[in-house]
Amino acid sequence: MTANPEALYLPDGDHLVPTELTVGPWDPAAQHGGAPSALLTHAVESADAPVPVQIARLTFELLRPVPLTPLRITTEVLRPGKKVQLVQASLHAGDTEVMRATALRIRRADLPVPDEAVPADPPPPGPEHGEQLQFPGAPEPDGLTFHRDANEILFVDGGFDRPGPATGWIRLRYPVIASETTTPMMRLAGAADFGNGFSWAVPRGQWIFINPDLTIHAVREPLGDWICLRSTTFPGSTGAAAAESALYDGQGRVGRSVQSLLLDRT
């Protein structure tokens, strides 16, 4: 791994090399889902379009744990169009596809709506009112990690140290790709994967609650560096659960994310 990394990923020819800043909290040999989510967002945003477009929906399928090895991305426009497009990007470790993103892109237009058409949903108290809390659970990996070092996380309600709904602000401290601009949607994708960790509902250490997917719906791109999640996990009694997060920036509501969760006892 790279000492004193400058970004989450370093370009190396046709590959992207993950740094320590991508490491997750549970397995020191695997990445946190937020890091490759941000990386694949860059890929779907970069796909050619005949007109200016915006991402309205992003769905990520985490097919396998994403390893800390050089990665290759392939991109395909599944449905071309001037108003609605579907783009897919896949992340490969060697010959194995480990993660996939599908983006619904809608043409961008100047169409102001009446103020009364927008539901009142102001952002929660800002990060200046937040508290930094230690991530509980398995022993922390040595060195840098995505949740602890690549991001600054400040809770204004609930938190890592207690079960139940939680509200927290997240700021990505590093570029996703060295020498590349980190876009607002990349920041949103990296933050949205924290929903189930924010709002865990079953006892840590006795249960696992892994998310094999993540879907984000966005009505606009977030403004500024900080993204807020107001998250709740709804556990079922048949081994599945869902974590829902309302997404905000400092101006108000941006969208919503949902994660399907695999529940199991340790």
Side-chain angles (χ1 to χ4, degrees), residues 26-27 31 33 62-65 193 196-197 202 207-214 233 239-243 259-266:
W26 306 114
D27 182 350
Q31 298 182 40
L62 290 94
L63 306 175
R64 290 173 174 79
D193 193 67
N196 62 324
V202 291
W207 292 78
I208 58 172
F209 37 96
I210 298 171
N211 65 299
D213 78 346
L214 166 65
T233 292
Q259 299 162 291
S260 301
L261 305 181
L262 168 69
L263 287 184
D264 207 352
R265 292 188 179 273
T266 57

CSV table of all heavy atoms in Angstrom, one decimal, residues 26-27 31 33 62-65 193 196-197 202 207-214 233 239-243 259-266:
chain,number,residue,atom,x,y,z
A,26,TRP,N,-14.2,-3.8,8.6
A,26,TRP,CA,-14.5,-5.2,9.1
A,26,TRP,C,-13.4,-6.2,8.6
A,26,TRP,O,-13.1,-7.1,9.2
A,26,TRP,CB,-15.8,-5.7,8.6
A,26,TRP,CG,-16.9,-4.8,9.0
A,26,TRP,CD1,-17.7,-4.0,8.2
A,26,TRP,CD2,-17.4,-4.5,10.3
A,26,TRP,NE1,-18.6,-3.3,8.9
A,26,TRP,CE2,-18.4,-3.5,10.3
A,26,TRP,CE3,-17.0,-4.9,11.6
A,26,TRP,CZ2,-19.1,-3.1,11.4
A,26,TRP,CZ3,-17.6,-4.4,12.7
A,26,TRP,CH2,-18.7,-3.5,12.6
A,27,ASP,N,-12.8,-5.9,7.4
A,27,ASP,CA,-11.9,-6.8,6.8
A,27,ASP,C,-10.7,-6.0,6.3
A,27,ASP,O,-10.9,-5.2,5.3
A,27,ASP,CB,-12.5,-7.6,5.6
A,27,ASP,CG,-11.6,-8.6,5.0
A,27,ASP,OD1,-10.4,-8.6,5.3
A,27,ASP,OD2,-12.1,-9.4,4.2
A,31,GLN,N,-12.2,-3.3,0.7
A,31,GLN,CA,-12.6,-1.9,0.7
A,31,GLN,C,-13.9,-1.6,1.3
A,31,GLN,O,-14.8,-2.5,1.3
A,31,GLN,CB,-12.5,-1.3,-0.7
A,31,GLN,CG,-11.2,-1.4,-1.4
A,31,GLN,CD,-11.2,-0.8,-2.8
A,31,GLN,OE1,-11.9,0.2,-3.0
A,31,GLN,NE2,-10.6,-1.5,-3.7
A,33,GLY,N,-17.5,0.0,1.1
A,33,GLY,CA,-18.3,0.1,-0.1
A,33,GLY,C,-18.4,1.5,-0.7
A,33,GLY,O,-18.6,1.8,-1.9
A,62,LEU,N,-22.9,-4.8,-5.1
A,62,LEU,CA,-21.6,-5.3,-4.6
A,62,LEU,C,-21.5,-6.8,-4.8
A,62,LEU,O,-22.0,-7.5,-3.9
A,62,LEU,CB,-21.4,-4.8,-3.2
A,62,LEU,CG,-21.2,-3.3,-3.0
A,62,LEU,CD1,-22.5,-2.6,-2.7
A,62,LEU,CD2,-20.2,-3.0,-1.9
A,63,LEU,N,-20.9,-7.3,-5.8
A,63,LEU,CA,-21.0,-8.7,-6.2
A,63,LEU,C,-20.1,-9.5,-5.3
A,63,LEU,O,-20.4,-10.7,-5.0
A,63,LEU,CB,-20.6,-8.9,-7.7
A,63,LEU,CG,-21.5,-8.0,-8.6
A,63,LEU,CD1,-20.9,-8.2,-10.1
A,63,LEU,CD2,-22.9,-8.4,-8.6
A,64,ARG,N,-19.0,-8.9,-4.9
A,64,ARG,CA,-18.0,-9.6,-4.0
A,64,ARG,C,-17.3,-8.5,-3.2
A,64,ARG,O,-17.3,-7.4,-3.6
A,64,ARG,CB,-16.9,-10.3,-4.9
A,64,ARG,CG,-17.5,-11.6,-5.6
A,64,ARG,CD,-16.4,-12.1,-6.6
A,64,ARG,NE,-16.8,-13.4,-7.2
A,64,ARG,CZ,-17.7,-13.4,-8.2
A,64,ARG,NH1,-18.1,-12.3,-8.7
A,64,ARG,NH2,-18.0,-14.6,-8.7
A,65,PRO,N,-16.6,-8.9,-2.1
A,65,PRO,CA,-15.8,-7.9,-1.4
A,65,PRO,C,-14.8,-7.3,-2.4
A,65,PRO,O,-14.1,-8.1,-3.2
A,65,PRO,CB,-15.1,-8.7,-0.3
A,65,PRO,CG,-16.0,-9.9,-0.1
A,65,PRO,CD,-16.6,-10.2,-1.4
A,193,ASP,N,-23.2,5.2,1.3
A,193,ASP,CA,-23.0,3.8,1.8
A,193,ASP,C,-22.9,3.7,3.3
A,193,ASP,O,-22.8,2.6,3.8
A,193,ASP,CB,-21.8,3.3,1.1
A,193,ASP,CG,-21.6,1.8,1.2
A,193,ASP,OD1,-22.5,1.0,0.7
A,193,ASP,OD2,-20.7,1.3,2.0
A,196,ASN,N,-26.4,2.2,6.7
A,196,ASN,CA,-26.6,1.0,7.6
A,196,ASN,C,-25.7,1.1,8.8
A,196,ASN,O,-26.0,0.7,9.9
A,196,ASN,CB,-26.5,-0.3,6.9
A,196,ASN,CG,-25.1,-0.5,6.3
A,196,ASN,OD1,-24.4,0.4,5.8
A,196,ASN,ND2,-24.6,-1.8,6.3
A,197,GLY,N,-24.5,1.6,8.6
A,197,GLY,CA,-23.5,1.8,9.7
A,197,GLY,C,-24.0,2.9,10.7
A,197,GLY,O,-23.8,2.7,11.9
A,202,VAL,N,-29.6,-4.1,15.1
A,202,VAL,CA,-29.4,-5.3,15.9
A,202,VAL,C,-28.0,-5.3,16.5
A,202,VAL,O,-27.1,-4.6,16.1
A,202,VAL,CB,-29.5,-6.5,15.0
A,202,VAL,CG1,-31.0,-6.7,14.5
A,202,VAL,CG2,-28.6,-6.4,13.7
A,207,TRP,N,-24.5,-9.8,15.5
A,207,TRP,CA,-25.2,-9.9,14.2
A,207,TRP,C,-24.3,-9.2,13.2
A,207,TRP,O,-23.4,-8.4,13.5
A,207,TRP,CB,-26.5,-9.1,14.2
A,207,TRP,CG,-27.6,-9.7,15.0
A,207,TRP,CD1,-27.7,-9.7,16.4
A,207,TRP,CD2,-28.7,-10.4,14.5
A,207,TRP,NE1,-28.9,-10.3,16.8
A,207,TRP,CE2,-29.5,-10.8,15.7
A,207,TRP,CE3,-29.2,-10.8,13.3
A,207,TRP,CZ2,-30.7,-11.5,15.5
A,207,TRP,CZ3,-30.4,-11.5,13.1
A,207,TRP,CH2,-31.1,-11.8,14.3
A,208,ILE,N,-24.4,-9.6,11.9
A,208,ILE,CA,-23.9,-8.9,10.8
A,208,ILE,C,-25.0,-8.3,10.0
A,208,ILE,O,-26.1,-8.9,10.0
A,208,ILE,CB,-23.0,-9.7,9.9
A,208,ILE,CG1,-23.7,-10.9,9.3
A,208,ILE,CG2,-21.7,-10.2,10.7
A,208,ILE,CD1,-22.9,-11.7,8.3
A,209,PHE,N,-24.8,-7.2,9.3
A,209,PHE,CA,-25.8,-6.5,8.5
A,209,PHE,C,-25.1,-5.9,7.3
A,209,PHE,O,-24.9,-4.7,7.2
A,209,PHE,CB,-26.6,-5.5,9.3
A,209,PHE,CG,-25.8,-4.7,10.3
A,209,PHE,CD1,-25.3,-3.4,9.9
A,209,PHE,CD2,-25.6,-5.2,11.6
A,209,PHE,CE1,-24.6,-2.7,10.8
A,209,PHE,CE2,-24.8,-4.4,12.5
A,209,PHE,CZ,-24.3,-3.2,12.1
A,210,ILE,N,-24.8,-6.8,6.3
A,210,ILE,CA,-24.0,-6.4,5.2
A,210,ILE,C,-25.0,-5.9,4.1
A,210,ILE,O,-26.0,-6.5,3.8
A,210,ILE,CB,-23.3,-7.7,4.7
A,210,ILE,CG1,-22.3,-8.1,5.7
A,210,ILE,CG2,-22.5,-7.4,3.4
A,210,ILE,CD1,-21.6,-9.4,5.4
A,211,ASN,N,-24.6,-4.9,3.4
A,211,ASN,CA,-25.4,-4.4,2.3
A,211,ASN,C,-24.8,-4.8,1.0
A,211,ASN,O,-23.7,-4.4,0.6
A,211,ASN,CB,-25.6,-2.9,2.3
A,211,ASN,CG,-24.3,-2.1,2.1
A,211,ASN,OD1,-23.3,-2.3,2.9
A,211,ASN,ND2,-24.2,-1.3,1.0
A,212,PRO,N,-25.5,-5.7,0.2
A,212,PRO,CA,-25.0,-6.1,-1.1
A,212,PRO,C,-25.4,-5.2,-2.2
A,212,PRO,O,-25.1,-5.4,-3.4
A,212,PRO,CB,-25.7,-7.5,-1.3
A,212,PRO,CG,-26.9,-7.4,-0.5
A,212,PRO,CD,-26.6,-6.6,0.7
A,213,ASP,N,-26.1,-4.1,-1.8
A,213,ASP,CA,-26.5,-3.1,-2.9
A,213,ASP,C,-26.6,-1.7,-2.2
A,213,ASP,O,-26.6,-1.6,-1.0
A,213,ASP,CB,-27.7,-3.5,-3.6
A,213,ASP,CG,-29.0,-3.2,-2.8
A,213,ASP,OD1,-29.0,-3.0,-1.6
A,213,ASP,OD2,-30.1,-3.3,-3.4
A,214,LEU,N,-26.8,-0.7,-3.1
A,214,LEU,CA,-27.0,0.6,-2.7
A,214,LEU,C,-27.7,1.3,-3.8
A,214,LEU,O,-27.2,1.3,-5.0
A,214,LEU,CB,-25.7,1.4,-2.3
A,214,LEU,CG,-25.8,2.9,-2.2
A,214,LEU,CD1,-26.7,3.3,-1.0
A,214,LEU,CD2,-24.4,3.5,-2.0
A,233,THR,N,-32.7,2.0,10.0
A,233,THR,CA,-32.7,0.6,9.5
A,233,THR,C,-33.9,-0.1,10.0
A,233,THR,O,-34.4,0.1,11.2
A,233,THR,CB,-31.5,-0.1,10.1
A,233,THR,OG1,-30.3,0.4,9.5
A,233,THR,CG2,-31.5,-1.6,9.8
A,239,GLY,N,-34.3,-12.7,7.9
A,239,GLY,CA,-32.9,-12.6,7.4
A,239,GLY,C,-32.6,-11.4,6.5
A,239,GLY,O,-31.5,-11.4,5.9
A,240,ALA,N,-33.5,-10.5,6.3
A,240,ALA,CA,-33.3,-9.3,5.5
A,240,ALA,C,-33.7,-8.1,6.2
A,240,ALA,O,-34.5,-8.1,7.2
A,240,ALA,CB,-34.1,-9.5,4.2
A,241,ALA,N,-33.1,-7.0,5.7
A,241,ALA,CA,-33.5,-5.7,6.3
A,241,ALA,C,-33.2,-4.6,5.3
A,241,ALA,O,-32.7,-4.9,4.2
A,241,ALA,CB,-32.6,-5.4,7.5
A,242,ALA,N,-33.6,-3.4,5.6
A,242,ALA,CA,-33.4,-2.2,4.7
A,242,ALA,C,-33.0,-1.0,5.5
A,242,ALA,O,-33.5,-0.8,6.6
A,242,ALA,CB,-34.6,-1.9,3.9
A,243,ALA,N,-32.0,-0.3,5.0
A,243,ALA,CA,-31.6,0.9,5.6
A,243,ALA,C,-31.9,2.1,4.6
A,243,ALA,O,-31.5,2.1,3.5
A,243,ALA,CB,-30.1,0.9,5.9
A,259,GLN,N,-30.5,0.8,1.1
A,259,GLN,CA,-29.6,-0.3,1.0
A,259,GLN,C,-30.4,-1.6,1.5
A,259,GLN,O,-31.1,-1.6,2.5
A,259,GLN,CB,-28.4,-0.2,2.0
A,259,GLN,CG,-27.5,1.0,1.7
A,259,GLN,CD,-26.7,1.3,2.9
A,259,GLN,OE1,-27.2,1.8,3.9
A,259,GLN,NE2,-25.4,1.1,2.8
A,260,SER,N,-30.3,-2.6,0.7
A,260,SER,CA,-30.8,-3.9,1.1
A,260,SER,C,-29.7,-4.5,2.0
A,260,SER,O,-28.5,-4.4,1.8
A,260,SER,CB,-31.0,-4.9,-0.1
A,260,SER,OG,-32.0,-4.4,-1.0
A,261,LEU,N,-30.1,-5.2,3.1
A,261,LEU,CA,-29.2,-5.7,4.1
A,261,LEU,C,-29.4,-7.2,4.2
A,261,LEU,O,-30.5,-7.7,4.3
A,261,LEU,CB,-29.3,-5.1,5.4
A,261,LEU,CG,-29.3,-3.6,5.5
A,261,LEU,CD1,-29.4,-3.1,6.9
A,261,LEU,CD2,-28.0,-3.1,4.9
A,262,LEU,N,-28.3,-8.0,4.3
A,262,LEU,CA,-28.3,-9.4,4.6
A,262,LEU,C,-28.0,-9.4,6.1
A,262,LEU,O,-27.0,-9.0,6.6
A,262,LEU,CB,-27.1,-10.1,3.9
A,262,LEU,CG,-26.8,-11.5,4.4
A,262,LEU,CD1,-27.9,-12.5,4.1
A,262,LEU,CD2,-25.5,-12.0,3.8
A,263,LEU,N,-29.0,-10.0,6.9
A,263,LEU,CA,-28.9,-10.1,8.3
A,263,LEU,C,-28.5,-11.6,8.6
A,263,LEU,O,-29.0,-12.5,8.0
A,263,LEU,CB,-30.3,-9.9,9.0
A,263,LEU,CG,-30.8,-8.5,9.1
A,263,LEU,CD1,-32.1,-8.5,9.9
A,263,LEU,CD2,-29.8,-7.5,9.7
A,264,ASP,N,-27.6,-11.7,9.6
A,264,ASP,CA,-27.2,-13.0,10.0
A,264,ASP,C,-26.5,-12.9,11.4
A,264,ASP,O,-26.0,-11.8,11.8
A,264,ASP,CB,-26.2,-13.7,9.0
A,264,ASP,CG,-26.2,-15.2,9.0
A,264,ASP,OD1,-26.9,-15.8,9.9
A,264,ASP,OD2,-25.6,-15.8,8.2
A,265,ARG,N,-26.5,-14.0,12.1
A,265,ARG,CA,-25.8,-14.0,13.4
A,265,ARG,C,-24.4,-14.4,13.2
A,265,ARG,O,-24.1,-15.2,12.3
A,265,ARG,CB,-26.5,-15.0,14.4
A,265,ARG,CG,-27.9,-14.6,14.8
A,265,ARG,CD,-28.5,-15.5,15.9
A,265,ARG,NE,-29.8,-15.1,16.3
A,265,ARG,CZ,-30.0,-14.3,17.3
A,265,ARG,NH1,-29.0,-13.7,17.9
A,265,ARG,NH2,-31.2,-13.9,17.7
A,266,THR,N,-23.5,-13.9,14.1
A,266,THR,CA,-22.1,-14.2,13.9
A,266,THR,C,-21.8,-15.5,14.5
A,266,THR,O,-22.6,-16.0,15.3
A,266,THR,CB,-21.3,-13.1,14.6
A,266,THR,OG1,-21.7,-13.0,16.0
A,266,THR,CG2,-21.5,-11.7,14.0
